[in-house]
């Protein structure tokens, strides 16, 4: 009799376990269900993030709008088409280098050499194309590769030899600055061809109004198609996805922003080539970080180096490649800076330039502690810095005050980042 009772109990337990098994398999992180709950779900998710200190880009966007509102109230010329276009072109050089800094910061490291490397790239192009008469396209490629090589050297010394990145890149800052002075020679300045490839990077505008509107259409349509097919892919494997009406609303908001910018550009000279190139690089790097295995490895290293090593990630290779990427973007940014002033000179990449580059990445939302950030942060951060610089310049405020205000904004951003991390740890999310 006891055997029968035992057998019956075992069978009942087996049935219960069998019934519970599907439920366990079907369990889904509640945060993933937000997309299926529509706007009510997103409102709840927003409240949850606010409590957990996960503010994302909201403080930066709000801060940028406040900056624009203040300077517009002080000077009506601040957001005119001409000034807005000039700011858009001016931010590209710094923004390009900040994109590379984002990659390094995601590892939880720093690169202090990017300013000097950018100067070397501009000087290399000028010497090869102007002094030695080399083909401009070939000289441009070699100048960019110079930055790649410099970054790879820094990464090798850091990853393979074990010298801290701070020390390596500080040495690189001094070395490449001296190298730039050496190749520029006694004159110290080499003027670029006003009709050359590099100068055209910032001086060329697509004057046809169809160019700006066409780009707005392409960006909007590209976003909608990407989101739509991503949803289809998620649905096919049973993963929660966004409702179609939410995708439509997001697309409409993006379209309003894109066409508003296009209208402003067309009221001046047209669509700047520099802005098109910058957006293309932002889209490319964002895809690499969010959609590729390589990008996930970078985030993993920023979270925990030891855990990444145990997971089979080649830590040294990823580190070297990230610093090579930073050097590459430093070189590209240096060419844009040289294009803006139509020359390569001894002052390139010096002074406050390095601080502005790092500040752009941090102000935009990339964490100094690694593991959190996007390449779009470079765009937001550099917009804040350039807006402050142009706004204060319109008011005739001296450079020392500009430095103090930019430093204050940077300090506030770092404080917010540190407080956010503590709040997330308290909420069990870090």
């Amino acid at each position: 009799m006891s055997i029968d009772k035992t057998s019956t109990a075992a069978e009942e337990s087996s049935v219960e376990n069998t019934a519970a098994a599907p439920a366990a398999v079907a369990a889904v992180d509640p945060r993933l269900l937000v997309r299926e709950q529509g706007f009510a779900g997103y409102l709840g998710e927003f409240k949850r993030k606010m409590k957990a200190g996960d503010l994302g880009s909201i403080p930066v966007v709000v801060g940028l709008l406040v900056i624009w509102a203040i300077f517009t109230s002080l000077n009506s010329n601040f957001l005119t088409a001409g000034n807005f276009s000039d700011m858009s072109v001016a931010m590209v050089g710094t923004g390009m280098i900040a994109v590379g800094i984002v990659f390094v910061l995601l590892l939880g490291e720093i690169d202090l050499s990017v300013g000097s490397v950018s100067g070397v790239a501009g000087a290399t192009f000028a010497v090869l194309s102007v002094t030695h008469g080399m083909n401009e396209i070939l000289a441009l490629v070699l100048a960019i590769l110079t930055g790649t090589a410099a970054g790879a050297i820094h990464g090798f010394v850091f990853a393979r030899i074990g010298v801290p990145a701070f020390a390596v890149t500080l040495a690189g800052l001094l070395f490449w600055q001296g190298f730039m002075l050496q190749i520029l020679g006694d004159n110290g300045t080499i003027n670029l061809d006003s009709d050359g490839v590099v100068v055209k990077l910032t001086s060329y505008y697509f004057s046809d109004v169809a160019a700006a509107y066409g780009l707005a259409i392409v960006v909007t349509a590209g976003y909608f198609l990407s989101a739509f097919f991503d949803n289809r892919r998620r649905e096919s494997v049973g993963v929660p996805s966004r409702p179609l009406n939410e995708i439509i609303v997001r697309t409409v908001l993006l379209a309003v922003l894109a066409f508003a910018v296009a209208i402003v550009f067309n009221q001046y000279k047209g669509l700047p080539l520099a802005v098109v190139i910058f957006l293309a690089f932002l889209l490319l790097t964002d895809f690499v970080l969010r959609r590729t295995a390589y990008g996930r490895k970078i985030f993993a290293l920023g979270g925990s180096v030891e855990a990444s090593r145990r997971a089979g990630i080649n830590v040294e290779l990823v580190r070297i490649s990230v610093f090579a990427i930073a050097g590459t973007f430093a070189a590209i940014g240096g060419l844009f800076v040289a294009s803006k002033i139509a020359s390569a000179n001894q002052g390139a990449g010096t002074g406050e330039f390095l601080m502005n580059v790092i500040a752009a990445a941090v102000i935009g939302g990339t964490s100094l502690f690694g593991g959190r950030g996007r390449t779009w942060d470079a765009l937001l951060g550099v917009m804040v810095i350039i807006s402050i610089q142009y706004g204060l310049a319109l008011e005739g405020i001296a450079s020392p005050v500009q430095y103090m205000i930019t430093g204050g904004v940077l300090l506030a951003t770092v404080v917010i980042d540190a407080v956010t991390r503590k709040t997330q740890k308290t909420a069990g999310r870090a």
Side-chain angles (χ1 to χ4, degrees), residues 194-393:
S194 58
D195 293 322
V197 173
V198 168
V199 173
K200 289 291 185 183
L201 290 175
T202 56
S203 65
Y204 185 81
Y205 292 76
F206 297 97
S207 56
D208 192 335
V209 296
Y213 293 135
L215 180 61
I217 292 173
V218 169
V219 169
T220 304
Y223 172 80
F224 176 79
L225 293 174
S226 174
F228 179 78
F229 286 112
D230 182 57
N231 267 20
R232 294 284 296 273
R233 181 176 59 83
R234 286 175 171 273
E235 291 172 357
S236 66
V237 295
V239 177
S241 58
R242 288 193 179 101
L244 181 60
N245 59 352
E246 184 197 336
I247 295 177
I248 293 175
V249 171
R250 286 170 174 260
T251 303
V252 170
L253 292 176
L254 177 62
V256 170
L257 177 62
F259 277 93
V261 174
I263 290 171
V264 173
F265 281 146
N266 283 334
Q267 289 178 350
Y268 188 53
K269 296 179 181 180
L271 177 64
L273 173 62
V275 172
V276 176
I277 297 174
F278 189 31
L279 289 177
F281 274 110
L282 286 173
L283 288 170
L284 175 63
T285 51
D286 180 67
F287 176 83
V288 169
L289 285 178
R290 295 197 304 114
R291 300 288 186 177
T292 66
Y294 175 72
R296 289 190 288 272
K297 290 176 182 178
I298 293 176
F299 280 104
L301 259 67
S304 173
V305 175
E306 186 57 33
S308 300
R309 184 177 285 110
R310 291 175 180 272
I313 296 175
N314 189 330
V315 174
E316 293 181 354
L317 181 60
V318 173
R319 281 175 163 176
I320 293 172
S321 64
V322 164
F323 276 87
I325 289 172
T328 301
F329 275 97
I332 295 172
L335 291 172
F336 274 93
V337 172
S339 172
K340 195 74 174 62
I341 61 177
S343 67
N345 60 48
Q346 295 178 341
T350 60
E352 79 281 3
F353 185 73
L354 172 63
M355 294 301 102
N356 284 340
V357 168
I358 297 175
V362 176
I363 290 173
T366 301
S367 175
L368 280 169
F369 303 99
R372 191 178 79 246
R374 304 174 304 166
T375 52
W376 291 100
D377 294 340
L379 172 62
L380 289 174
V382 77
M383 287 176 68
V384 170
I385 290 176
I386 295 299
S387 295
I388 292 174
Q389 290 178 346
Y390 269 67
L392 294 177

Side-chain angles (χ1 to χ4, degrees), residues 14-296:
S14 176
V15 171
E16 289 176 358
N17 289 338
T18 303
V25 173
V28 179
D29 186 341
R31 289 174 292 181
L32 296 178
L33 299 176
V34 169
R35 293 179 170 183
E36 292 184 339
Q37 296 171 0
F39 293 107
Y42 275 95
L43 180 60
E45 176 72 355
F46 175 75
K47 292 178 180 178
R48 184 189 64 77
K49 286 185 175 181
M50 292 293 289
K51 291 180 180 179
D54 188 4
L55 303 178
S57 300
I58 294 176
V60 189
V61 174
V62 172
L64 182 62
L65 293 177
V66 170
I67 289 170
W68 284 0
I70 292 174
F71 285 125
T72 301
S73 65
L74 294 175
N75 194 318
S76 59
N77 292 323
F78 178 71
L79 280 183
T80 58
N83 198 54
F84 182 82
S85 182
D86 289 343
M87 286 194 298
S88 299
V89 174
M91 74 180 185
V92 174
T94 304
M96 282 287 190
I97 305 175
V99 170
I101 287 292
V102 168
F103 277 79
V104 176
L105 290 179
L106 287 175
L107 294 181
E109 303 296 342
I110 193 67
D111 188 342
L112 301 177
S113 68
V114 289
S116 297
V117 172
S118 70
V120 167
T124 299
F125 174 82
V127 170
L128 293 177
S129 64
V130 177
T131 306
H132 297 289
M134 181 182 289
N135 176 272
E136 285 197 333
I137 299 297
L138 179 58
L140 184 146
V141 172
L142 291 176
I144 294 175
L145 291 178
T146 299
T148 305
I153 292 171
H154 300 154
F156 179 84
V157 176
F158 163 58
R160 294 296 297 272
I161 301 178
V163 180
F166 178 88
V168 174
T169 56
L170 179 59
L173 181 154
L174 299 173
F175 177 85
W176 297 116
Q177 186 172 344
F179 184 74
M180 176 187 68
L181 298 177
Q182 181 67 31
I183 63 176
L184 284 175
D186 296 333
N187 187 31
T189 300
I190 300 177
N191 295 321
L192 302 179
D193 181 5
S194 58
D195 293 322
V197 173
V198 168
V199 173
K200 289 291 185 183
L201 290 175
T202 56
S203 65
Y204 185 81
Y205 292 76
F206 297 97
S207 56
D208 192 335
V209 296
Y213 293 135
L215 180 61
I217 292 173
V218 169
V219 169
T220 304
Y223 172 80
F224 176 79
L225 293 174
S226 174
F228 179 78
F229 286 112
D230 182 57
N231 267 20
R232 294 284 296 273
R233 181 176 59 83
R234 286 175 171 273
E235 291 172 357
S236 66
V237 295
V239 177
S241 58
R242 288 193 179 101
L244 181 60
N245 59 352
E246 184 197 336
I247 295 177
I248 293 175
V249 171
R250 286 170 174 260
T251 303
V252 170
L253 292 176
L254 177 62
V256 170
L257 177 62
F259 277 93
V261 174
I263 290 171
V264 173
F265 281 146
N266 283 334
Q267 289 178 350
Y268 188 53
K269 296 179 181 180
L271 177 64
L273 173 62
V275 172
V276 176
I277 297 174
F278 189 31
L279 289 177
F281 274 110
L282 286 173
L283 288 170
L284 175 63
T285 51
D286 180 67
F287 176 83
V288 169
L289 285 178
R290 295 197 304 114
R291 300 288 186 177
T292 66
Y294 175 72
R296 289 190 288 272

